[in-house]
Amino acid sequence: MRSPLFLQHDAKLDLDPQGPRLYRLQADRPKHELTIGEAVALNLLAAYGELANAKSHCATIFGEILGTALVDQVVDRFWTYLGDGPRRSLDVAWLAEMKVDRLRLPPRRRAAPLAVTWLVTLGCNRKCPYCFHDITRHAVGRMDSPRDATFPLDNALRFVAEMAYVGASDLYLTGGEPLLRRDIVEIIAAASRKRVRVRVVTKYPVSQEFACKLAEAGLHDATVSLDDARSYVASSLAGAPGYLKEAEEAIRAFLDAGIRLRVNAVVSRVNQGSLCELAERLIDWGVPELVISPYVTPRSARTNVQQLAPPIGSFYGDVQKLKDRCGERLRIQTGGSMIPDGLTERACGRHVDCNVGIDTLDVLPDGRVTRCRYLPNEDALIVGDLRTQTLMDIWDSTAMERLGKPARSEYGTSLCADCDGFEACNSRGRCYFTALGPEKQ
């Protein structure tokens, strides 16, 4: 039997002509502004607590495609507000009094983050040549966590509880290697109990036993990074001998444990011609989804690392060839949050949307919150500290507001300094990684 999807007992759906809102009782923030469609979908879930029933009624009001999409949207977005009842009476009388101007979408910047990405550690048991970070070697099997993983457990547990309370439904664990933190399973379990969906990106040698522990803790899904089906290339791109075999064992362990799984491959010059072979291997293993991410040259470039960049303009052509050959047997998505080197000769943040501070937050290994996790050592980008502040205090802080729309004077030696797209970047979300990167020639 599926768990119910009623609004939780302390969730308030405020339906009035000024605009529908969702919030927790006894809490002054956040108050989520809703579209009319979202409010109707949540109202139906509050009355029926069941997905198919809510979709059926929502389709009657908005049409099948939009009605179904609205229910899926609110279940995904407001997951931590849903669960056990009580069942509530269906209320649609407010619709007749709704002001026309409330048909618009709510402000782009959310009342609270939708998701949080936690850079758990810059310690790693691999040495990928294209890694964004200067990682610290940390072997698997050690009894201690990497030395930078200093965010105290008590603070981390409070933080994930607050995520659930304010409606931040997704916690992404990345690194380095996030599974090297010794208490990570305990944190995953605490988050999952609060209905926060925990997602991990990993190259850890996950055993059957460890995969079962992660499944019991409630891990929502895992992304295993694997770039090639040829053993020597896979090892070279992971900086670890025998990585292909370890990745296969981890993939099979996750699948056997019932954890949702995808594989991510970064397209570089050395593997761009062998993506189809990788896809065929994944199909044989039973992997349901492959994410193809573009290569981005690390800010702290290592020896010959720029030689890994594929030819300009090749990325989407490579992906399309892969979809044509394997797309009916394997879900193929494109990933990557920054501009790929293969799309432009000029690295420029105006081509990249960044949602940090708009609907997401980035957290560093010690619990500080940054405007850009790809620049963990830039102290000027720190907007708060979860060891001493709440998530919402940081979200509503003047530091977050300032970094959301920085002054042009902050980019005196960068490509942004005299760019005619500067204000547009401020409006839609600026990519700090590219903004603080290459200087004017």
Side-chain angles (χ1 to χ4, degrees), residues 230-261:
R230 296 168 294 178
S231 180
Y232 71 97
V233 178
S235 294
S236 176
L237 291 175
Y243 179 66
L244 179 63
K245 184 175 185 298
E246 289 186 347
E248 178 185 357
E249 291 173 351
I251 287 167
R252 293 187 184 279
F254 279 126
L255 291 172
D256 289 346
I259 295 173
R260 296 175 181 87
L261 179 79

Side-chain angles (χ1 to χ4, degrees), residues 277-300:
E277 288 77 3
L278 173 63
E280 293 289 353
R281 183 72 63 89
L282 298 180
I283 291 168
D284 289 343
W285 293 344
V287 174
E289 182 177 350
L290 171 61
V291 178
I292 304 296
S293 294
Y295 180 85
V296 180
T297 301
R299 182 176 171 87
S300 54

Side-chain angles (χ1 to χ4, degrees), residues 60-80:
T60 301
I61 300 171
F62 296 104
E64 184 174 356
I65 295 177
L66 179 57
T68 298
L70 281 168
V71 176
D72 286 337
Q73 177 179 312
V74 298
V75 168
D76 181 64
R77 169 65 187 91
F78 299 112
W79 178 251
T80 67

Side-chain angles (χ1 to χ4, degrees), residues 118 145 151-153 156 180-188:
W118 181 13
S145 297
F151 190 24
L153 177 60
L180 286 172
R181 178 162 169 147
R182 299 296 296 174
D183 56 5
I184 199 67
V185 175
E186 183 177 350
I187 294 170
I188 292 171

Side-chain angles (χ1 to χ4, degrees), residues 295-310:
Y295 180 85
V296 180
T297 301
R299 182 176 171 87
S300 54
R302 297 163 184 81
T303 304
N304 298 325
V305 73
Q306 296 211 18
Q307 295 181 12
L308 290 174

Side-chain angles (χ1 to χ4, degrees), residues 269-283:
R269 188 176 292 272
V270 298
N271 71 341
Q272 66 180 136
S274 60
L275 294 176
C276 288
E277 288 77 3
L278 173 63
E280 293 289 353
R281 183 72 63 89
L282 298 180
I283 291 168

